[in-house]
């Protein structure tokens, strides 16, 4: 039986009956359940019913970047020991993954067990809609509900300009709530509090977008460091260097993350489709099932382009991200294939050695 009440102190961190069920076999082994609130060079802080414990993550497959312990993980941790080890993490409900670089098609896990992926976009710099679409594709793909937060609204004093910017983002993000906030003046925070008031939310975005400032405003305390002043967002020093999980006073849990220069897609075809849902809807109305929206008759996508209903930029961005995704997937497959081949070769060599040993060559 699971003793939910024994671990009820974990409820503010998102502990529920399903986590309790998943933990049952580890409870029988005398391990403690907890949630990772920060990971730092092979060590992590785990909040347990009895308080925060420092634990080593080396036990949990350290060589596969997709399987390392991540902030937001629910883990089974040893009750004592020096070092004390995290034995395993419970199966993840959602995972936000990007590809680490364009050269190597490896996934990097940025946040797990997240319900709301809050993409922070600064209004202090020129809007890059392509970047918004990229973040949203990974957010949808992760299984979390995306939210866009336009920060530093106080720096756009003209309401007409602000309305245009919000509209641009809204047409770029169908099905995604777009919230405008100013942490400086407190504007829009109530709307955000309502959105992140249940479950786990992660703040993602470029360095300087104002994520930690927002985290402090939501927590109601200066728990995260913020750079006093900076010239341009997205440049220079990263103020936040670890991912930190913070319980919110009004309910819900927030993960603040270090700024990201870029997010490469990682097997995110479904996510890309959701970001461009209006294009996929239009494509469904094309006369030909496999319409490329080039010169085919009865093309609903081209019709929407001509009427101005669909911006050219959107279609181009959709094509670009789809191509990039296919390329990443193909590259990953190639890498997997070569790994499998290497494995066969190794097994083949072992098999040969075993055969030769059997024949008594080395005896
Ligand atoms: N004018 C104005 N400035 C803000 C607002 N929110 C944040 N800032 C400023 O923006 C700068 C960056 O804020 P941070 O919260 O550190 O940004 P961050 O996204 O956490 O940055 P990293 O940790 O490097 O990823 C700081 O100088 C803040 O004071 C706002 O609402 N209005
Ligand atoms: Mg920060
Ligand atoms: Zn078409």
């Amino acid at each position: 039986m699971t003793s939910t009440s024994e671990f009820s102190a974990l409820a503010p961190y998102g502990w529920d009956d399903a986590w309790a069920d998943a933990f049952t076999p580890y409870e029988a082994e005398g391990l403690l359940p907890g949630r990772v609130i920060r990971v730092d060079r092979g060590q992590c802080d785990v909040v347990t019913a009895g308080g925060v414990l420092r634990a080593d993550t080396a036990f949990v497959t350290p060589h596969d970047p997709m399987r390392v312990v991540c902030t937001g993980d629910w883990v089974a941790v040893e009750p004592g020991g020096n070092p004390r080890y995290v034995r395993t993490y419970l199966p993840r409900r959602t995972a936000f993954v990007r590809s680490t670089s364009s050269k190597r098609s490896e996934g990097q896990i940025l946040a797990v067990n997240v319900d709301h992926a809050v993409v922070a976009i600064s209004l202090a710099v020129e809007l890059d809609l392509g970047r918004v679409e990229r973040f949203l594709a990974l957010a949808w793909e992760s299984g979390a509900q995306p939210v866009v937060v336009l920060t530093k609204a106080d720096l756009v004093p003209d309401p007409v300009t602000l309305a245009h910017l919000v509209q641009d983002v809204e047409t770029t993000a169908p099905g995604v709530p777009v919230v405008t906030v100013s942490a400086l003046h407190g504007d829009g925070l109530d709307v955000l509090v309502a959105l992140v008031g249940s479950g786990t939310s992660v703040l993602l975005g470029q360095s300087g977008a104002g994520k930690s400032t927002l985290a402090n405003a939501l927590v109601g305390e200066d728990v995260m460091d913020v750079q006093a002043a900076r010239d341009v967002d997205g440049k220079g020093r990263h103020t936040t260097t670890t991912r930190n999980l913070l319980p919110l006073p009004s309910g819900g849990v927030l993960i603040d993350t270090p700024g990201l220069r870029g997010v490469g897609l990682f097997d995110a075809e479904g996510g890309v489709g959701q970001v461009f849902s209006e294009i996929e809807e239009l494509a469904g109305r094309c006369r030909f099932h496999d319409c490329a929206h080039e010169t085919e008759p009865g093309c609903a996508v081209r019709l929407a382009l001509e009427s101005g209903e669909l911006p050219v930029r959107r279609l181009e961005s959709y094509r670009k991200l789809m191509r990039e995704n296919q390329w990443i997937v193909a590259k990953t497959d190639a890498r997997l294939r070569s790994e499998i081949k290497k494995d066969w070769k190794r097994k083949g060599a072992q098999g040969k050695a075993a055969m030769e040993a059997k024949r008594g060559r080395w005896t």
Side-chain angles (χ1 to χ4, degrees):
M1 261 319 281
T2 56
S3 46
T4 312
S5 55
E6 191 187 329
F7 304 126
S8 60
L10 288 170
Y13 289 89
W15 181 256
D16 59 27
D17 289 348
W19 290 121
D21 279 347
F23 186 73
T24 314
Y26 305 106
E27 192 181 357
E29 283 181 46
L31 299 170
L32 299 172
R35 193 161 196 196
V36 177
I37 57 173
R38 182 213 293 258
V39 180
D40 198 4
R41 291 187 208 91
Q43 299 272 306
C44 66
D45 291 334
V46 181
V47 62
T48 66
V52 177
L53 304 173
R54 192 107 176 116
D56 198 298
T57 61
F59 200 83
V60 188
T61 48
H63 300 301
D64 181 348
M66 296 283 276
R67 297 180 65 191
V68 293
V69 173
C70 185
T71 302
D73 264 326
W74 283 98
V75 294
V77 67
E78 294 174 345
N82 191 16
R84 169 205 308 276
Y85 286 105
V86 169
R87 285 282 196 82
T88 191
Y89 56 78
L90 302 183
R92 293 161 172 169
R93 290 182 188 170
T94 65
F96 192 102
V97 186
R98 70 161 173 177
S99 66
T100 43
S101 77
S102 52
K103 294 214 182 67
R104 288 165 63 207
S105 51
E106 240 168 42
Q108 182 193 19
I109 205 140
L110 295 178
V112 295
N113 299 323
V114 160
D115 304 291
H116 314 281
V118 182
V119 179
I121 305 285
S122 167
L123 288 170
V125 288
E126 203 182 329
L127 256 185
D128 181 345
L129 295 175
R131 180 178 299 127
V132 177
E133 289 161 341
R134 205 171 258 286
F135 269 105
L136 290 180
L138 293 181
W140 281 121
E141 190 68 33
S142 77
Q145 163 70 48
V147 177
V148 173
V149 175
L150 301 174
T151 63
K152 313 191 190 187
D154 52 281
L155 296 177
V156 188
D158 176 31
V160 179
T161 311
L162 185 62
H164 276 138
L165 291 170
V166 172
Q167 201 183 14
D168 280 351
V169 176
E170 275 171 350
T171 49
T172 303
V176 177
V178 178
V179 187
T180 310
V181 300
S182 164
L184 193 67
H185 297 164
D187 297 337
L189 287 178
D190 47 342
V191 183
L192 192 58
V193 166
L195 282 169
V196 303
S198 66
T200 301
S201 305
V202 64
L203 279 165
L204 295 159
Q206 275 200 306
S207 188
K211 298 179 295 298
S212 298
T213 308
L214 266 184
N216 288 340
L218 292 171
V219 172
E221 231 180 286
D222 283 351
V223 285
M224 296 301 300
D225 281 340
V226 164
Q227 207 170 314
R230 61 197 303 159
D231 299 332
V232 193
D233 296 357
K235 297 261 162 69
R237 199 160 65 89
H238 290 247
T239 309
T240 307
T241 53
T242 53
R243 301 177 197 118
N244 300 270
L245 186 141
L246 316 157
L248 298 176
S250 48
V253 175
L254 187 70
I255 300 176
D256 186 18
T257 66
L260 300 166
R261 200 155 283 139
V263 280
L265 297 181
F266 187 78
D267 202 354
E269 187 176 337
V272 175
Q274 265 170 300
V275 176
F276 298 92
S277 57
E278 89 278 27
I279 297 182
E280 303 223 316
E281 233 168 80
L282 284 167
R285 280 188 255 138
C286 293
R287 185 178 307 162
F288 298 109
H289 172 69
D290 59 347
C291 184
H293 325 306
E294 306 274 3
T295 54
E296 295 91 338
C299 173
V301 172
R302 263 204 357 271
L303 204 66
L305 279 180
E306 278 155 24
S307 73
E309 183 199 328
L310 176 67
V312 179
R313 191 204 65 79
R314 275 289 272 180
L315 184 61
E316 282 172 353
S317 184
Y318 172 66
R319 286 183 162 146
K320 182 169 169 254
L321 289 184
M322 276 297 190
R323 266 199 311 271
E324 178 183 319
N325 191 62
Q326 277 159 8
W327 188 70
I328 286 282
V329 170
K331 221 166 46 161
T332 310
D333 285 346
R335 191 169 58 84
L336 277 181
R337 274 199 297 276
S338 90
E339 262 172 27
I340 290 167
K341 247 190 224 160
K342 250 189 260 161
D343 207 37
W344 281 345
K345 269 193 192 154
R346 193 169 48 78
K347 284 205 182 110
Q350 279 170 355
K352 216 166 127 195
M355 291 273 283
E356 284 174 355
K358 232 186 194 169
R359 280 196 216 112
R361 255 199 215 182
W362 295 324
T363 51

